[in-house]
Structures are given as structure tokens and as C-alpha cells.
Amino acid sequence: MAVLCFPALTLNYLGQGALVLADPKALENPFFLLYPDWAQLPMVVLATVASVIAARRSSPAHIR
């Protein structure tokens, strides 16, 4: 799982950093400004699902 997640997160954070360097006004919310208007809702859904999965995987009830 880490083989997929680490490169994806690295690319996302580098993209946000490049956006902020190119346009300092994007500093207020680089996540939403990184994607075109049509892709914002799918990206929010994807980020929400990923957060829920990560929270469930890290909960003590999952570890036996």
C-alpha cells in the first residue's frame, strides 16, 4: 500500500508547491486551486474516501 500512497502524496504536494510558487495568491487554498472546476468535486470525494480509509486503518480496533 505504501508503494502506491507515498509517490501519489509526493506528487500531490510537489504540485501544490509548484502552484504556490507560480501564483502566490494560491497560498490560501492550493488543494482546490490545483484542479480545474470540473474536477474539484471528484477530488474532494476521493480525498474524503481516502481520509476515511486511512482513519479506519489506523484505529486501534483494526489492530488485533
Side-chain angles (χ1 to χ4, degrees):
M1 187 70 157
V3 174
L4 179 67
C5 293
F6 182 71
L9 285 172
T10 302
L11 285 174
N12 187 20
Y13 291 142
L14 287 174
Q16 288 181 16
L19 175 69
V20 170
L21 288 174
D23 183 14
K25 289 186 242 177
L27 186 61
E28 69 181 54
N29 202 341
F31 177 79
F32 289 107
L33 298 174
L34 189 62
Y35 305 105
D37 290 337
W38 63 267
Q40 284 186 358
L41 183 60
M43 289 298 119
V44 169
V45 170
L46 181 64
T48 303
V49 170
S51 297
V52 169
I53 291 171
R56 291 183 56 101
R57 293 282 298 170
S58 64
S59 71
H62 178 73
I63 301 170
R64 292 181 188 203

